[in-house]
Amino acid sequence: MKKHSARVAPLSACNSPVLTLTKVEGEERPRDSPGPAEAPAPAGAEAGGRTSHHCWRCSRAQLKKMFWGVAVVLCVCSSWAGSTQLAKLTFRKFDAPFTLTWFATNWNFLFFPLYYVGHVCKSEEKQSVRQRYRECCRFFGDNGLTLKVFFTKAAPFGVLWTLTNYLYLHAIKKVNTTDVSVLFCCNKAFVFLLSWIVLRDRFMGVRIVAAILAIAGIVMMTYADGFHSHSVIGIALVVGSASMSALYKVLFKLLLGSAKFGEAALFLSILGVFNILFITCIPVILYFTKVEYWSSFDDIPWGNLCGFSVLLLTFNIVLNFGIAVTYPTLMSVGIVLSVPVNAVVDHYTSKIVFNGVRVIAIIIIGLGFLLLLLPEEWDVWLIKLLTRLKVRKKEETAEGGADLGSGPQSKNRRARPSFAR
């Protein structure tokens, strides 16, 4: 069976390594020596033909990856914005954010079965479910998934997952979906700050600037509604959700490292099992205490609940496994693009007021998010690009000066014979 070399962390695809095209660019082919009656081709022609062939192969692979990237961006944007809007619509008839969180998290159980279906369809050496399960369980250690490992390495992430989604959904009840989606983008800034403090990641000044922009955007977003208690609570809930998401990602990298696709699918399915076994009691308690109460099960909008769960499952699948077909940066762009989509929907369906402060806050947070997408060696690349442009400009200036200088000389050379005559 072919093993995937790329490794991902659930809900942190944006921090995964970029898959390069080294196999295409550095592909080596056996060279056939020319026969005795054949004349060897010129070296320049052979090198040019091989280079053009390799460039064509490389560009074809890159175009394919970019095509998949556009598809992934559209899928991430539509699924994230759609789930947010559908959750807002669901609360009009079913005011139970924790029950909705529990119901949607149960669908995580489908991650590993869906992965195994893909394994059977794509892999040349097919394994049984038990064999594939045992191989993926090595991610938790030599003993596999034991009861101790389940409570020490899976249960805490199940709690963080539930808190992230519950706080996000509860915030949708307080503020509009545009503010919720743009404020949740601050989780990437929180990931950088926690990684810098806890994981001792490389310090980058541009990312500190991005974190400052994110915090400034949060303050401005709060000021946009005049610091009313209703909006302040909603914004605090979104910031709490983004913080839980960042803590989830950093702790996963600290305690578990990175995971292959099968291991990540198994881990997310385990979170679904944990939710079914240990979180189910909470919606029951909330129902009987009438904190989240509905008169009859016939009044529950099952279509909205299932639609929200499917969209959220699709979003998590693409976010965690989209790195197999495209660049992780493009998936992050899809999250940013969901903000204007939610803004357009809110403009026509709610009474949101896009005043100057709110628009500036959205732009600042979006700019900070995009700055966080810059690679670690972006400054080196920028210096090389500026150096190349400077050298090219000097060469063009020198060539222009040489052409201007050669013009009068040629005219003088042509004029001298006529004067001699």
Side-chain angles (χ1 to χ4, degrees):
M1 177 192 156
K2 295 182 180 179
K3 295 184 178 180
H4 298 282
S5 59
R7 302 177 71 86
V8 296
L11 280 185
S12 59
C14 304
N15 301 326
S16 302
V18 178
L19 298 177
T20 57
L21 299 175
T22 52
K23 290 186 178 180
V24 178
E25 295 175 356
E27 186 178 3
E28 296 181 358
R29 291 185 175 84
R31 298 182 181 178
D32 296 328
S33 57
E38 296 178 354
E46 183 181 358
R50 187 182 300 111
T51 303
S52 62
H53 182 68
H54 284 185
C55 291
W56 181 82
R57 287 287 303 276
C58 180
S59 62
R60 183 181 179 184
Q62 289 178 346
L63 286 175
K64 183 179 179 181
K65 204 162 189 179
M66 291 299 295
F67 171 78
W68 279 108
V70 173
V72 167
V73 167
L74 294 177
C75 188
V76 169
C77 176
S78 59
S79 59
W80 185 238
S83 62
T84 303
Q85 292 295 333
L86 199 55
K88 187 79 171 181
L89 184 63
T90 303
F91 290 145
R92 296 178 182 177
K93 300 179 180 179
F94 185 71
D95 189 7
F98 194 92
T99 304
L100 181 59
T101 302
W102 169 83
F103 182 80
T105 306
N106 289 338
W107 290 58
N108 281 14
F109 178 77
L110 297 176
F111 267 99
F112 189 75
L114 291 175
Y115 163 77
Y116 183 74
V117 171
H119 161 74
V120 172
C121 296
K122 297 286 291 184
S123 179
E124 296 179 357
E125 300 179 4
K126 298 176 176 59
Q127 294 179 322
S128 64
V129 178
R130 179 176 296 181
Q131 291 175 339
R132 195 73 195 126
Y133 171 77
R134 289 179 177 177
E135 184 171 342
C136 292
C137 278
R138 296 176 184 174
F139 170 68
F140 297 100
D142 297 334
N143 297 327
L145 182 61
T146 61
L147 195 62
K148 180 181 179 181
V149 170
F150 178 81
F151 283 105
T152 57
K153 293 186 177 182
F157 294 100
V159 174
L160 290 175
W161 180 287
T162 302
L163 287 175
T164 299
N165 289 277
Y166 170 69
L167 293 175
Y168 185 86
L169 292 176
H170 195 66
I172 293 177
K173 293 175 53 182
K174 303 290 185 181
V175 293
N176 56 76
T177 56
T178 303
D179 294 352
V180 172
S181 59
V182 71
L183 287 171
F184 190 78
C185 291
C186 296
N187 76 318
K188 198 165 183 64
F190 299 156
V191 169
F192 163 70
L193 293 176
L194 287 176
S195 300
W196 179 42
I197 297 172
V198 178
L199 303 179
R200 304 296 181 183
D201 282 357
R202 177 188 172 187
F203 174 82
M204 292 182 63
V206 67
R207 294 188 177 178
I208 289 293
V209 173
I212 295 174
L213 290 176
I215 296 173
I218 294 172
V219 176
M220 293 185 67
M221 191 68 72
T222 308
Y223 177 76
D225 289 332
F227 291 97
H228 297 298
S229 59
H230 197 70
S231 62
V232 170
I233 293 174
I235 292 173
L237 290 172
V238 184
V239 174
S241 175
S243 302
M244 292 298 104
S245 175
L247 185 61
Y248 175 100
K249 297 173 184 179
V250 174
L251 286 181
F252 188 94
K253 189 175 181 180
L254 178 65
L255 300 178
L256 299 174
S258 58
K260 298 179 182 178
F261 295 119
E263 296 167 350
L266 178 61
F267 182 82
L268 292 170
S269 292
I270 291 172
L271 295 186
V273 173
F274 171 81
N275 185 76
I276 295 173
L277 295 178
F278 298 98
I279 307 296
T280 304
C281 59
I282 299 179
V284 175
I285 294 173
L286 294 177
Y287 174 79
F288 285 106
T289 56
K290 295 188 177 181
V291 176
E292 293 185 357
Y293 182 78
W294 54 94
S295 57
S296 65
F297 286 92
D298 295 334
D299 297 333
I300 298 176
W302 292 107
N304 291 345
L305 263 69
C306 294
F308 169 78
S309 302
V310 169
L311 288 176
L312 191 60
L313 179 66
T314 303
F315 171 77
N316 287 319
I317 289 175
V318 176
L319 195 64
N320 283 281
F321 307 125
I323 188 178
V325 294
T326 188
Y327 305 102
T329 303
L330 292 178
M331 295 183 286
S332 300
V333 172
I335 299 177
V336 178
L337 291 179
S338 66
V339 176
V341 173
N342 285 320
V344 172
V345 176
D346 286 344
H347 177 71
Y348 290 101
T349 60
S350 62
K351 297 180 180 179
I352 183 174
V353 178
F354 288 100
N355 52 24
V357 178
R358 175 174 273 108
V359 173
I360 294 174
I362 293 174
I363 294 175
I364 287 177
I365 294 177
L367 179 61
F369 189 92
L370 294 176
L371 288 177
L372 289 168
L373 298 181
L374 292 174
E376 292 187 356
E377 298 179 353
W378 71 275
D379 51 346
V380 178
W381 295 351
L382 182 61
I383 292 174
K384 289 182 179 180
L385 178 61
L386 294 176
T387 303
R388 288 182 180 180
L389 293 175
K390 189 175 181 180
V391 171
R392 183 176 298 179
K393 187 175 181 180
K394 287 183 178 180
E395 291 177 353
E396 291 177 355
T397 304
E399 290 178 358
D403 293 338
L404 292 175
S406 61
Q409 290 179 3
S410 61
K411 290 181 180 179
N412 293 334
R413 289 174 182 175
R414 292 177 182 178
R416 285 175 185 175
S418 59
F419 281 112
R421 289 178 185 177

